[in-house]
């Protein structure tokens, strides 16, 4: 059992740091204090061979003056380090203009972080290691085709405090657990790898509801099924994307283009299109930081703004962008509470939280039955998107042919390509089986990685470009 992390910055010290940051001028200053403790385990080849315990504690100070941002950080929370960071940040901002006054700090009312029933850091190393052993054993029992199993478990407790010269004072606590499995199956010289994960902002009670054995077994079964996969067909065809993790397509292809830094730089296809139709009217897209216990949720963002439910696309019409303080001010928009950073060493930038597609009226069975031939996508892997053009490409890690309105054989080597406008316009069926992803998402942007979530019902895109090796469109 480890000590509970604490944030104990003296309010008087916070005010001195902010005053020092604005001592030679500037319009705005803020402070981000963080204490992060993480434990990770890895089991490979039936052995628990890596255990890491880490702790990071430090403060970042930002000064904004005449459109210039100065930023500096200090490891630890001692007064000398904090004041030194404040002076360095103001020197970078180089603000000869009169400085803003530091307002009296007033706590942001954003609710309290829910306390897990079984906080992971309270469990012994042996108790947590036993979870990996259960997943590993179940995966290996799935069949003789299983040749390698890797299980990784991580629990992270992050406590943050944000204070700014406009009087904002906010705190949050984010507890994340995650178990990931990777299984390699082999038969007659053919190898396939399956990957699954289960996580969230919860304690070990998550694995009472979702047993590690199920995670291990499902991962192995998926890898074994893909041994029978045939080369994916190539061409333009209908694509049905399953619920839950399938939403990562919209995260990559659409969500990044709605982040306000791309909008301000005019490097997004969605710049200047507020109020315009950008999708089929059956599509509603929301960024929701308030979903209880999900991986991308929080009470306040990393600038002290309350987490929100932001309507991005409503009935096919673009209604909102995802903003942090800096870009909201530049664009003349309200802040949506999407300022996020990887750690105190980084500046906040606009990021998604949990991007979800609202459910529709059909059943998933109706969507499938109404698709004579096409591709059914269960899981997507790595993807790339150019926000300027909206062009994207994704790899399909688990997919099946649709023939005569039903699933038939698995396919391998498929990719999806297209542009975000076309995908949104061609969504022609949305089912009622909405599901969140199982808690596996991490988003990378400008060298910063943050946990995110996605969610959607089963839906169909009437036409997408499928890259494959079999040739001949469906």
């Amino acid at each position: 059992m480890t000590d509970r992390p604490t944030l104990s910055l003296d309010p008087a010290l916070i005010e001195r740091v902010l005053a020092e940051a604005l001592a030679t001028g500037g319009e705005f200053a803020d402070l981000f204090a963080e204490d992060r403790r993480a434990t990770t385990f890895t089991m490979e080849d039936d052995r628990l061979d890596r255990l890491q315990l880490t702790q990071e504690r430090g403060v970042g100070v930002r000064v904004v003056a005449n459109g210039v941002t100065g930023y500096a950080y200090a490891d630890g929370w001692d007064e000398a380090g904090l004041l030194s960071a404040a002076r360095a940040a103001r020197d970078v901002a180089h603000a000869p203009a009169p400085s803003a006054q530091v307002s009296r700090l007033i706590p942001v009312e954003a609710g309290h972080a829910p306390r897990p029933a079984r906080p992971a850091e309270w469990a012994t190393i042996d108790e947590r290691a036993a979870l990996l052993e259960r997943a590993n054993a179940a995966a290996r029992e799935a069949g003789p085709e299983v040749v390698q199993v890797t299980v990784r478990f991580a629990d992270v407790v992050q406590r943050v405090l944000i204070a700014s010269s406009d009087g904002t004072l906010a705190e949050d606590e984010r507890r994340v657990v995650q178990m990931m499995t990777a299984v390699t199956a082999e038969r007659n010289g053919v190898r396939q790898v399956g990957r699954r994960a289960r996580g969230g902002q919860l304690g070990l009670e998550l694995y009472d509801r979702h047993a590690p054995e199920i995670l291990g077994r499902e991962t192995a079964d998926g890898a074994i099924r893909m041994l029978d996969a045939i080369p994916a067909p190539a061409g333009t065809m209908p694509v049905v994307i399953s619920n839950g993790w399938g939403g990562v397509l919209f995260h990559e292809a659409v969500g990044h283009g709605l982040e306000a830094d791309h909008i301000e730089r005019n490097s997004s296809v969605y710049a200047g299109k507020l109020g315009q139709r950008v999708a089929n009217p059956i599509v509603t897209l929301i960024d929701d930081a308030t979903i209880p216990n999900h991986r991308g949720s929080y009470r306040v963002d990393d600038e002290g703004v309350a987490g929100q439910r932001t309507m991005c696309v409503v009935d096919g019409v673009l209604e909102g962008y995802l903003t942090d303080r800096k870009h909201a001010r530049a664009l003349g928009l309200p802040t949506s509470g999407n300022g996020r950073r990887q750690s105190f060493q980084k500046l906040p930038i606009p990021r998604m939280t949990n991007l979800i597609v609202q459910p529709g009226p059909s059943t998933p069975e109706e969507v499938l039955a109404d698709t004579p031939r096409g591709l059914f996508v269960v899981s997507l892997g790595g993807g790339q998107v150019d926000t300027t053009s909206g062009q994207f490409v994704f790899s399909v890690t688990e997919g099946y042919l649709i023939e005569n309105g039903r699933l038939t054989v698995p396919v391998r080597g498929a990719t999806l390509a297209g542009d975000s406008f076309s995908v949104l316009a061609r969504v022609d069926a949305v089912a009622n089986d909405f599901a969140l992803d199982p808690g596996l998402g991490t988003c990378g942007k400008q060298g910063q990685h943050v946990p995110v979530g996605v969610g959607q019902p089963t839906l169909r895109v009437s036409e997408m470009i499928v890259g494959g090796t079999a040739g001949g469109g469906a």
Side-chain angles (χ1 to χ4, degrees):
M1 174 177 166
T2 59
D3 294 334
R4 182 180 179 183
T6 59
L7 284 175
S8 56
L9 275 180
D10 180 359
L13 173 58
I14 294 173
E15 292 180 355
R16 285 200 297 279
V17 171
L18 294 173
E20 190 71 25
L22 294 174
T24 61
E27 300 140 17
F28 174 80
D30 67 3
L31 170 156
F32 177 85
E34 177 187 27
D35 181 298
R36 181 195 299 264
R37 303 183 183 196
T39 307
T40 59
F41 303 76
T42 301
M43 172 168 275
E44 202 163 44
D45 296 329
D46 285 329
R47 291 183 305 142
L48 190 66
D49 66 351
R50 288 192 292 277
L51 166 62
Q52 292 182 308
L53 306 174
T54 60
Q55 179 178 8
E56 294 180 342
R57 173 178 279 203
V59 175
V61 180
R62 173 173 60 169
V63 177
V64 179
N66 297 325
V68 177
T69 299
Y71 192 76
Y73 65 88
D75 294 315
W77 292 358
D78 64 279
E79 180 170 355
L82 268 61
L83 291 172
S84 177
R87 295 184 193 108
R90 84 185 186 205
D91 288 347
V92 174
H94 191 60
S99 62
Q101 297 296 310
V102 178
S103 301
R104 184 169 66 89
L105 296 175
I106 299 175
V108 172
E109 295 295 335
H112 298 288
R115 189 75 176 180
R118 296 173 55 202
E121 77 276 14
W122 289 11
T124 65
I125 296 296
D126 287 345
E127 287 174 315
R128 282 175 278 183
L131 298 173
L132 282 73
E133 293 169 353
R134 290 165 58 188
N136 177 68
R140 291 188 177 279
E141 291 170 0
E145 297 92 344
V146 174
V147 296
Q148 186 173 9
V149 179
T150 301
V151 187
R152 184 174 181 271
F153 176 83
D155 61 79
V156 179
V157 181
Q158 181 200 32
R159 300 195 75 216
V160 300
L161 179 150
I162 307 102
S164 60
S165 56
D166 64 3
T168 296
L169 178 63
E171 290 189 68
D172 199 8
E173 179 178 276
R174 303 152 187 171
R175 294 170 173 270
V176 177
V177 296
Q178 186 182 62
M179 182 181 294
M180 296 178 288
T181 55
V183 175
T184 302
E186 182 176 340
R187 185 198 302 139
N188 300 327
V190 176
R191 281 194 164 206
Q192 291 289 340
V193 179
R195 293 184 175 84
R196 297 282 194 282
R198 177 64 69 177
Q201 293 196 39
L202 291 159
L204 296 187
E205 69 272 16
L206 176 66
Y207 302 105
D208 296 334
R209 300 200 299 267
H210 302 281
E213 289 87 349
I214 295 175
L215 179 65
R217 184 63 184 244
E218 288 183 346
T219 309
D221 287 345
I224 293 170
R225 278 197 303 272
M226 293 306 291
L227 290 174
D228 298 318
I230 64 173
T236 300
M237 65 189 76
V239 175
V240 178
I241 304 169
S242 70
N243 63 354
W245 180 240
V248 71
L249 175 67
F250 293 89
H251 170 103
E252 297 289 356
V254 182
H256 281 298
L258 301 177
E259 292 167 342
D261 48 348
H262 296 301
I263 301 299
E264 186 192 0
R265 292 197 298 265
N266 201 28
S267 61
S268 167
V269 291
Y270 297 103
K273 290 187 168 53
L274 279 179
Q276 297 183 24
R277 181 165 301 286
V278 296
N280 188 310
I282 63 175
V283 176
T284 291
L285 193 63
I286 302 168
D287 183 85
D288 192 349
T290 69
I291 298 172
N293 304 321
H294 206 53
R295 188 166 163 79
S297 301
Y298 44 67
R299 269 55 60 188
V300 294
D301 73 357
D302 294 333
E303 297 184 300
V305 179
Q308 298 172 32
R309 180 177 164 89
T310 301
M311 308 301 289
C312 298
V313 176
V314 179
D315 299 334
V317 176
L318 180 61
E319 292 206 350
Y321 297 131
L322 305 177
T323 61
D324 61 354
R325 281 176 175 254
K326 175 183 175 181
H327 296 93
R329 183 173 182 177
L331 294 168
L333 298 171
T335 57
S336 63
N338 288 89
R340 306 186 67 186
R341 62 182 106 197
Q342 179 173 305
S343 77
F344 67 90
Q345 299 176 356
K346 306 287 186 179
L347 273 167
I349 53 178
R351 307 295 296 269
M352 285 170 273
T353 60
N354 306 300
L355 192 73
I356 61 175
V357 180
Q358 288 288 80
S362 306
T363 67
E365 293 80 12
E366 289 170 341
V367 174
L368 191 61
D370 191 42
T371 309
R373 188 168 175 80
L375 181 68
F376 184 83
V377 175
V378 174
S379 180
L380 290 161
Q384 294 182 329
V385 62
D386 178 349
T387 59
T388 304
S389 65
Q391 298 287 327
F392 65 83
V393 61
F394 279 93
S395 62
V396 177
T397 55
E398 185 174 351
Y400 299 83
L401 280 184
I402 303 172
E403 297 175 294
N404 299 318
R406 62 185 185 87
L407 299 185
T408 57
V409 294
V411 297
R412 64 174 183 271
T415 59
L416 303 179
D419 67 88
S420 60
F421 275 138
S422 295
V423 168
L424 288 176
R426 292 170 179 163
V427 173
D428 67 348
V430 181
N432 57 7
D433 61 337
F434 175 86
L436 292 167
D437 72 278
L440 70 161
T442 297
C443 176
K445 177 182 175 182
Q446 297 178 20
Q448 297 195 46
H449 293 81
V450 297
V452 295
V454 297
Q456 70 166 50
T458 298
L459 57 81
R460 182 179 60 207
V461 182
S462 61
E463 283 187 5
M464 286 188 77
I465 300 171
V466 176
T469 57

